[in-house]
Amino acid sequence: MALSSSRSAFSATCKAFRTCSGAAPCVGQRLGQHSVRQLSTSATRTTDAVETAAEQEQRPRWSYTPERMKGPGFSINVVKEHSRTVWSNNEDPAKLDAMYNRLLGSKGDRMLPDEIKWLAVTHKSFDQGRRGFNTRLAYFGRLIVSFETTRHIMVTPAAAREAAEDSFGREPFKHSALANVDKLNTRQPQTVVSKEKLAKLAIDVGLAEVTRWKPRMPENLEASGLTPVLNTSLFAIIGAISLQHGAEAAQQVVREKILRRLGA
């Protein structure tokens, strides 16, 4: 009985396979030859693709998204409000150079190469980060600003304070090496160069108009994170200057172009 049932199952399977094989040409004929898309694994490239690559090589890197980094042409994110997807960023190099001149002074646009100038003002939300972004430059620049601000607090003479009278006529011990110990108790670097102060400085020099980013809510930029985005761009510019010209040049920029403008 077991052998008979096995043979019956085998014959039924063979019959079904022959039926499907015979129906395949009919389905292909009904769909038509042009409806069937053939997938190829060859590495050949069309003439149009070669011309497109050649044109992209002539353009600056900041102005386009590489073809191999583009997605399939659709997004898996469900957009609830379509109006929030509309946002335009600066693409004018002259406008960017004008901002660098206002921030760094005369010929400030010549301190950095073109690619680095655009990279320093590109947030990771712009173009899904496919053209590079300024996070690492900003981390380096933040450390430089914090160090220089701390040094500025330490070397600035402290305000004279009246010594409290001692009932026993004693005088506190004084030494030049201990004169700066208590300065950081009254002033902290984060209060001298706070996020709000740096954001206001960035707006004054026009950095908000050239920073490339994608706000979550274009109708409310502050709630979308405008302040930290401007801080990131400002720190990234300092970090890029340090890598390009050295720490001394970056510290001088922090002292003269940031701390002095903030009234420190």
Side-chain angles (χ1 to χ4, degrees):
M1 293 297 293
L3 183 61
S4 300
S5 57
S6 300
R7 289 178 179 178
S8 300
F10 178 74
S11 60
T13 302
C14 293
K15 184 177 180 180
F17 178 75
R18 288 194 299 271
T19 303
C20 294
S21 299
C26 299
V27 175
Q29 292 175 1
R30 288 200 301 267
L31 292 176
Q33 298 296 331
H34 299 286
S35 300
V36 181
R37 181 181 180 184
Q38 301 293 334
L39 300 180
S40 175
T41 57
S42 61
T44 58
R45 300 176 62 187
T46 61
T47 305
D48 296 338
V50 175
E51 292 178 355
T52 303
E55 293 175 356
Q56 289 181 356
E57 290 180 357
Q58 297 177 358
R59 292 185 294 169
R61 173 66 180 84
W62 58 265
S63 63
Y64 70 95
T65 302
E67 291 295 330
R68 293 186 178 183
M69 297 188 69
K70 292 182 178 180
F74 61 90
S75 176
I76 62 175
N77 296 327
V78 179
V79 180
K80 296 181 180 180
E81 296 185 21
H82 194 72
S83 60
R84 290 183 173 178
T85 61
V86 180
W87 179 258
S88 59
N89 288 279
N90 174 57
E91 297 292 341
D92 186 8
K95 191 174 183 179
L96 181 69
D97 291 343
M99 184 279 300
Y100 275 101
N101 288 330
R102 287 192 294 268
L103 175 63
L104 304 177
S106 179
K107 299 181 180 180
D109 58 322
R110 302 181 184 180
M111 294 190 67
L112 297 173
D114 290 339
E115 292 294 335
I116 304 301
K117 286 192 297 186
W118 285 99
L119 180 64
V121 298
T122 302
H123 190 256
K124 60 184 177 182
S125 62
F126 174 74
D127 197 18
Q128 305 296 327
R130 295 179 295 186
R131 303 191 199 181
F133 47 90
N134 56 9
T135 301
R136 288 184 289 184
L137 286 176
Y139 177 76
F140 186 37
R142 184 181 293 107
L143 296 179
I144 296 174
V145 173
S146 177
F147 169 77
E148 189 60 28
T149 305
T150 303
R151 190 198 66 82
H152 175 77
I153 294 174
M154 298 295 290
V155 300
T156 301
R161 294 183 301 178
E162 296 182 0
E165 296 183 0
D166 188 78
S167 58
F168 298 96
R170 297 172 298 183
E171 295 183 0
F173 175 76
K174 297 180 179 180
H175 194 275
S176 58
L178 302 176
N180 295 326
V181 171
D182 293 333
K183 287 184 178 180
L184 292 177
N185 289 333
T186 57
R187 299 181 69 189
Q188 291 289 325
Q190 56 266 29
T191 59
V192 177
V193 287
S194 63
K195 293 181 180 180
E196 291 74 17
K197 292 180 180 179
L198 291 177
K200 185 179 183 304
L201 172 61
I203 294 175
D204 291 341
V205 299
L207 184 57
E209 301 175 2
V210 298
T211 294
R212 301 197 295 180
W213 67 305
K214 175 60 180 68
R216 184 172 61 90
M217 296 179 292
E219 71 278 4
N220 192 344
L221 298 182
E222 191 61 36
S224 299
L226 178 62
T227 296
V229 167
L230 293 179
N231 278 256
T232 300
S233 296
L234 193 59
F235 289 144
I237 293 174
I238 301 301
I241 292 176
S242 179
L243 293 176
Q244 189 73 20
H245 299 284
E248 184 176 353
Q251 292 172 1
Q252 183 178 358
V253 170
V254 173
R255 290 193 300 267
E256 298 180 359
K257 307 302 180 181
I258 295 182
L259 295 180
R260 183 175 297 177
R261 288 179 177 179
L262 296 179

